[in-house]
Amino acid sequence: MKIHWLLCLLTALIGCKPQAPEPSPAAARPPNIVLFYVDDLGYGDLGCYGATGVATPHADRLAREGIRFTDAHSAAATCTPSRYALLTGTFAFRSQAAVLPGDAPLLIRPGTPTLPTLLQQAGYRTGVVGKWHLGLGSGNTDWNGEVRPGPLEIGFDYSFLLPATGDRVPTVYLEDHRVVGLTPEDSLRISYRTPFPGVPTGMDQPERLRQAADPQHSQAIVNGISRIGYQTGGASALWTDEDFPDIFTDKARAFIASAADQPFFLFFSFHDIHVPRLPHPRFQGVSEMGPRGDAIAQMDWMTGAILEELQRQGLAESTLVLFTSDNGPVLNDGYEDQAVARLGSHRPAGPFRGGKYSAFEAGTRVPLIAHWPGTITPGESQALISQTDFFASLATLAGVPLPEGAAPDSQDLSQALTRAGQPGSTLLLEEAMTLALRQGPYKYIPPSALPQAPAWLQQKGIEAGLSPLPQLYHLEEDPGETHNLAPQMPERVERMQQLLDSLVAPKNTKP
Ligand code: NG6
Ligand code: CA
């Protein structure tokens, strides 16, 4: 200490500055981490990624002041597998994790190394607010009692959840282990198999609905909207979709305020812009695109309100904000909400082909912004990076080593995450109904065992990217994946198939 001061004095006296140390992202006190995780937001859905028809000033500010990534990927083209990989650093195909029903047990076994457990070990307070969709309980969950295991058993100190999705029962909030607002005399029951006698469904009473829905979304009616799954009781606990922005934002703010003298990790997982899209009345009509655009504006407002809380608490400069999406965009995902009719010139997937569910690029190519004022120099990054890599990267930034065998699919890309111009990954797996592989500008989709997409996708005009033949695209020359190079480049196809096989081969550890 004394020597340090002497040096300072000396340099002041001789009038030259000491050599600036190489900036190290892992500062003495590790940064707070806020992960904004939007649901179904496409590559082209933000102003800073070319959106038209809706303004996103808060996300755009993050991009202006931080790093805007142009080749970042969710782990998978649907929600549950993406979140599983994000939190465990392990691809979902290893345990065949797929989109879960709302009564599924917790998918991540307690004891599995998870990102929040690791951050707890690094001294963080950890919280998750918003959509969960990773299962809860251990099967046959009674929603009227303690619901466990859940996030608290896999590394979170606090949770306030929408348990599955907005379009699935149960349509209640869960805070830590309890459904919020239940009364003992009106117990909540759900079923994904059998209707409850006498309880109306969207199928038999469509005239009660505010948005027409497809058959899969035509069961329990809550707040004038039919959902997937049957439900009865729990009237005092049922959510009103239009309240989501205020309720989730308030919970996030309270979490930030309560954690102020300890580093914290907030996983803020939006319901927006998933279906059903029912933004609060103050956002209705603010975009030119109907409810889907209004939901984007609402999501952006929530982002701004949480950033403002960080500012108010004096935490802006000590917080690394990551802003991204769990999979690519979808327009018609089960409800008639004008998403297709009012799209105009907006391109939800930007220049890419496909979207949610798809092995084509827009299935996983999503916006990613990293923001850490004072530490990150603003810029644009073309680094190839997957959310699967957040685990190892954030471990480095938090200053903790990865435990043996943890996060086997996660690479430490902390340099790329915090500095524009740093290289990303050389290979990247994309998980959809088939796996796909990126290597530099090349994208390889192997011949699929499934000859074509399931009927419910085809009916909505969604391209799954499946083909019985190999597909190879050069994304720099052909971002829209229209010209299959496989017949011309059989050697590259073979090499990429071998690389894919080696990445898919079982790892030693499995959560
Ligand atoms: C699908 C639902 C869809 C959506 C999706 C999950 C049907 C026909 N479609 O099965 O509406 O809920 O699951 O979305 O049931 S995700 O973003 O959570 O992965
Ligand atoms: Ca999603």
Side-chain angles (χ1 to χ4, degrees):
M1 216 37 193
K2 272 187 193 149
I3 293 175
H4 175 77
W5 282 111
L6 273 175
L7 275 175
C8 285
L9 192 67
L10 208 62
T11 42
L13 283 175
I14 60 174
C16 65
K17 281 187 176 171
Q19 186 87 40
E22 177 70 6
S24 156
R29 174 181 154 134
N32 308 309
I33 300 165
V34 175
L35 173 55
F36 286 107
Y37 209 51
V38 192
D39 201 352
D40 297 358
L41 185 79
Y43 186 86
D45 276 329
L46 297 174
C48 51
Y49 283 85
T52 58
V54 60
T56 54
H58 299 290
D60 296 353
R61 176 171 76 82
L62 283 178
R64 227 175 20 249
E65 297 174 357
I67 305 174
R68 188 183 78 98
F69 289 82
T70 59
D71 206 354
H73 293 255
S74 56
T78 48
C79 163
T80 304
S82 267
R83 286 154 202 258
Y84 176 86
L86 172 79
L87 294 182
T88 64
T90 309
F91 277 107
F93 71 82
R94 299 202 188 281
S95 47
Q96 291 171 352
V99 170
L100 292 177
D103 60 352
L106 181 64
L107 186 60
I108 301 171
R109 247 198 347 252
T112 304
T114 63
L115 176 60
T117 326
L118 190 79
L119 293 174
Q120 275 179 337
Q121 284 157 13
Y124 280 68
R125 179 167 149 73
T126 56
V128 50
V129 173
K131 172 175 170 174
W132 182 240
H133 210 188
L134 285 164
L136 289 158
S138 41
N140 292 321
T141 296
D142 175 5
W143 297 90
N144 306 284
E146 290 229 311
V147 178
R148 64 163 79 208
L152 302 198
E153 284 67 40
I154 58 163
F156 286 103
D157 295 311
Y158 173 72
S159 67
F160 185 89
L161 306 180
L162 183 161
T165 58
D167 59 352
R168 283 177 175 75
V169 299
T171 61
V172 292
Y173 303 108
L174 188 82
E175 189 160 32
D176 294 336
H177 290 129
R178 292 256 168 207
V179 170
V180 179
L182 269 183
T183 44
E185 57 280 6
D186 182 23
S187 59
L188 171 71
R189 282 180 299 149
I190 67 168
S191 168
Y192 274 77
R193 275 187 303 278
T194 350
F196 294 100
V199 177
T201 65
M203 196 58 98
D204 47 53
Q205 298 196 15
E207 68 284 357
R208 294 169 65 130
L209 303 179
R210 293 191 284 152
Q211 288 181 1
D214 67 14
Q216 291 90 350
H217 293 81
S218 290
Q219 296 167 0
I221 303 175
V222 180
N223 191 25
I225 297 290
S226 52
R227 322 272 167 163
I228 307 175
Y230 302 101
Q231 177 173 278
T232 187
S236 58
L238 302 184
W239 72 44
T240 302
D241 308 69
E242 288 83 346
D243 294 339
F244 288 164
D246 294 310
I247 290 182
F248 291 128
T249 303
D250 284 351
K251 294 291 175 188
R253 282 174 169 155
F255 177 78
I256 290 169
S258 73
D261 53 359
Q262 190 186 355
F264 64 85
F265 168 53
L266 171 63
F267 177 29
F268 188 76
S269 173
F270 292 85
H271 154 72
D272 288 317
I273 56 169
H274 199 281
V275 295
R277 303 176 183 119
L278 299 157
H280 186 275
R282 70 183 185 278
F283 298 104
Q284 290 171 16
V286 301
S287 80
E288 291 165 18
M289 297 191 286
R292 185 174 183 277
D294 298 348
I296 294 175
Q298 172 170 288
M299 172 283 294
D300 188 69
W301 173 85
M302 295 166 76
T303 304
I306 294 168
L307 293 174
E308 198 182 292
E309 184 64 36
L310 288 173
Q311 197 82 45
R312 197 173 18 245
Q313 300 288 339
L315 298 169
E317 305 231 322
S318 53
T319 303
L320 167 65
V321 169
L322 296 174
F323 180 104
T324 190
S325 172
D326 71 338
N327 52 249
V330 60
L331 296 176
N332 177 358
D333 208 10
Y335 296 91
E336 278 178 27
D337 63 4
Q338 306 170 290
V340 177
R342 295 191 56 185
L343 190 62
S345 60
H346 179 84
R347 296 170 74 195
F352 303 110
R353 183 169 177 183
K356 180 174 180 178
Y357 309 109
S358 181
F360 287 129
E361 194 64 3
T364 63
R365 175 108 54 135
V366 289
L368 170 64
I369 303 166
H371 181 263
W372 187 359
T375 301
I376 280 180
T377 312
E380 184 178 296
S381 172
Q382 292 167 5
L384 185 61
I385 181 166
S386 164
Q387 290 166 10
T388 317
D389 301 320
F390 285 4
F391 196 127
S393 308
L394 293 178
T396 297
L397 295 175
V400 270
L402 272 193
E404 180 92 14
D409 292 316
S410 190
Q411 283 184 72
D412 178 1
L413 295 179
S414 52
Q415 290 290 331
L417 205 53
T418 51
R419 288 186 208 170
Q422 290 289 312
S425 219
T426 49
L427 291 176
L428 183 137
L429 267 186
E430 300 179 9
E431 183 171 352
M433 287 174 193
T434 177
L435 294 172
L437 180 69
R438 282 285 312 279
Q439 184 181 31
Y442 285 100
K443 161 83 172 274
Y444 170 61
I445 310 177
S448 164
L450 272 178
Q452 54 183 3
W456 64 269
L457 279 188
Q458 287 185 40
Q459 281 153 13
K460 296 186 172 89
I462 293 172
E463 293 188 302
L466 305 176
S467 164
L469 299 172
Q471 299 176 74
L472 181 72
Y473 300 102
H474 191 289
L475 294 174
E476 273 162 24
E477 284 159 14
D478 177 26
E481 290 166 288
T482 53
H483 185 49
N484 185 4
L485 299 169
Q488 284 151 256
M489 303 180 79
E491 278 150 32
R492 180 169 285 278
V493 166
E494 200 185 319
R495 231 176 19 250
M496 288 188 77
Q497 180 65 55
Q498 283 164 2
L499 284 168
L500 183 60
D501 292 341
S502 67
L503 289 176
V504 168
K507 302 266 168 165
N508 297 334
T509 44
K510 195 168 151 229

